[in-house]
Amino acid sequence: MQLTIPQPAAATRERSLAGRTALVTGSTSGIGLGIAEALAEQGAQLLLNGFGDAESIMRTRDRLAMEHNVEVAYSGADLSCPEAIAEMMAYARDVLGPVDILVNNAGIQHVAPIADFPTAKWDAILAINLSSAFHTIRAVLPEMVERGFGRIVNVASAHGLVASPFKCAYVAAKHGVVGLTKTVALEAAVSGVTCNAICPGYVYTPLVEKQIEEQARAHNIPPERVVSDILLQSQPNKRFATVEEIGALTAFLAGPGGASITGAALAVDGGWTAH
Ligand code: NAD
């Protein structure tokens, strides 16, 4: 005899992040948007952040709110500027209440040999990819510790664990993010606050699309060869990770199952860093 187990309707099924608030930096595009989507799907109220076309950002905000029945706010703060970050953190608190889940995801890239690497690009990459996480964590951690709950997820990179040539600022910043993650995890360990880094290999997003175009021009080869011979050359499973996969891992870390995972640098890289 076959047993039919009754399942609650999707709309009434308990969502693992219901009642939580989440701030995701750089969530107007790519991985950050995938993470925002996964957190909203589990019931978290959201503050989105990032650049882009204003109308398209408002459409994304409204769609997330409607589809997942959650509050969604937006801040266009420039994360290279500590004062703008402070304003964003205050705004998040005003509109959503204390932040339970902080995802530091915003990032930029520049590829050049170190001798030609523009100083302004070095400064911008360090500010956006690394220092912004210091400023946001610094703003939310005391309150998380006081309330006995918090989840901090820093989107680092496989380049937080290993290096590649021509990416000095990015590799330095992402190694820094992994170090910051471990330090915060230790400082907060007994408080119910966890802090982890996700280290993706290549994920197909606008950031990578731009790299494909640039490398195709630089090497004078078609984009398909940049993908097979350069980008996925180090990624043993020979496919891009997806924003949905990174979103699902973030939602897991933020939920009850993630309570004992802290200080980890979790590779989502198809085996790249197993080499
Ligand atoms: P993306 O370009 O699609 O998104 C980057 C986001 O950051 C956008 O929302 C953008 O508006 C925002 N942003 C950029 N500068 C900002 C600033 N000054 N202030 C506020 N927001 C700003 O890129 P992505 O591929 O989704 O990358 C997201 C994160 O994942 C980055 O930290 C990146 O280093 C990391 N990562 C990406 C890959 C990949 O293959 N795509 C791999 C490993 C790690």
Side-chain angles (χ1 to χ4, degrees):
M1 191 180 74
Q2 237 190 349
L3 277 181
T4 309
I5 300 167
Q7 295 289 327
T12 59
R13 203 177 294 144
E14 198 171 317
R15 300 193 287 177
S16 63
L17 304 178
R20 301 288 188 206
T21 58
L23 190 167
V24 186
T25 70
S27 45
T28 51
S29 157
I31 293 173
L33 182 54
I35 291 173
E37 188 95 47
L39 299 181
E41 195 181 351
Q42 287 307 321
Q45 323 292 329
L46 285 178
L47 184 87
L48 302 174
N49 155 259
F51 299 152
D53 171 66
E55 262 183 42
S56 138
I57 293 172
M58 289 312 116
R59 272 199 303 277
T60 302
R61 185 195 65 180
D62 294 346
R63 181 185 63 74
L64 285 169
M66 287 278 289
E67 275 179 20
H68 303 295
N69 193 22
V70 292
E71 294 281 328
V72 185
Y74 165 73
S75 156
D78 179 347
L79 298 192
S80 64
C81 170
E83 293 76 25
I85 296 175
E87 278 170 27
M88 174 179 74
M89 303 313 285
Y91 178 66
R93 212 186 181 294
D94 283 353
V95 291
L96 299 176
V99 173
D100 298 306
I101 302 161
L102 168 67
V103 182
N104 289 305
N105 165 79
I108 58 167
Q109 173 65 287
H110 186 79
V111 181
I114 193 156
D116 304 328
F117 209 92
T119 306
K121 286 283 181 198
W122 169 274
D123 289 343
I125 290 175
L126 268 285
I128 297 164
N129 296 23
L130 175 59
S131 299
S132 73
F134 161 74
H135 293 296
T136 58
I137 291 170
R138 196 168 171 272
V140 297
L141 192 60
E143 210 169 42
M144 285 180 171
V145 169
E146 199 181 297
R147 289 184 299 119
F149 181 88
R151 295 284 185 267
I152 300 170
V153 177
N154 298 321
V155 180
S157 168
H159 283 120
L161 304 170
V162 294
S164 295
F166 313 126
K167 295 186 176 178
C168 60
Y170 189 84
V171 169
K174 295 299 188 180
H175 275 66
V177 169
V178 172
L180 174 68
T181 301
K182 291 177 183 176
T183 306
V184 173
L186 293 178
E187 287 189 23
V190 293
S191 67
V193 178
T194 68
C195 181
N196 293 288
I198 296 181
C199 298
Y202 282 105
V203 185
Y204 198 82
T205 67
L207 181 138
V208 166
E209 253 175 274
K210 193 165 154 257
Q211 276 188 60
I212 294 172
E213 286 160 22
E214 283 168 3
Q215 301 246 24
R217 267 198 306 277
H219 299 283
N220 197 21
I221 54 175
E224 310 78 64
R225 272 199 54 211
V226 174
V227 171
S228 61
D229 298 3
I230 301 176
L231 300 192
L232 296 184
Q233 204 260 335
S234 330
Q235 205 147 299
N237 68 346
K238 300 296 171 205
R239 71 166 183 84
F240 288 102
T242 67
V243 298
E244 289 79 13
E245 289 163 358
I246 311 293
L249 177 55
T250 307
F252 178 79
L253 290 171
S260 295
I261 305 175
T262 196
L266 300 156
V268 185
D269 63 3
W272 177 347
T273 52
H275 274 128

